Amino acid sequence: MPIYEFECEGCGAVFEELVAAGAAMPCPECGSERTRRLMSTVSPPGRMPRGAGVRSDESRRGEREAARQDRLSESRKRRAAGEKP
Ligand SMILES: [Zn+2]
């Protein structure tokens, strides 16, 4: 099963879930079901797709990735602190 990245349209949280294609995930942050699947799938480093325009996409993705990691670690911290779902 692929890992998909979702973005919450309610609070802007970004999260990853292992889901079947076409499945929707409620937001783990605010519970909103208004989440959308992002097109960027998680691919192992070093296995970049080749083709025109990839490089600029990748650099933009790098920034996005950094922001995403921030959010993820924050929500993990909150979860680790014992926040109940
Ligand atoms: Zn949300």
Side-chain angles (χ1 to χ4, degrees):
M1 226 180 259
I3 295 177
Y4 286 115
E5 210 174 345
F6 291 86
E7 183 171 63
C8 175
E9 291 182 2
C11 70
V14 177
F15 55 100
E16 288 170 356
E17 291 292 342
L18 271 168
V19 295
M25 282 298 304
C27 173
E29 297 288 332
C30 70
S32 168
E33 289 184 5
R34 282 168 50 218
T35 56
R36 61 195 175 88
R37 205 168 71 201
L38 301 178
M39 291 312 288
S40 59
T41 52
V42 178
S43 55
R47 284 184 58 201
M48 302 299 185
R50 284 158 203 260
V54 168
R55 201 168 293 171
S56 62
D57 276 356
E58 283 303 323
S59 68
R60 247 179 281 146
R61 220 174 100 172
E63 290 170 28
R64 215 192 150 78
E65 182 77 4
R68 190 174 63 83
Q69 291 299 343
D70 278 357
R71 282 186 185 141
L72 275 182
S73 66
E74 216 172 286
S75 72
R76 278 195 194 115
K77 256 183 268 163
R78 253 180 267 157
R79 242 172 265 166
E83 181 186 284
K84 295 197 173 168

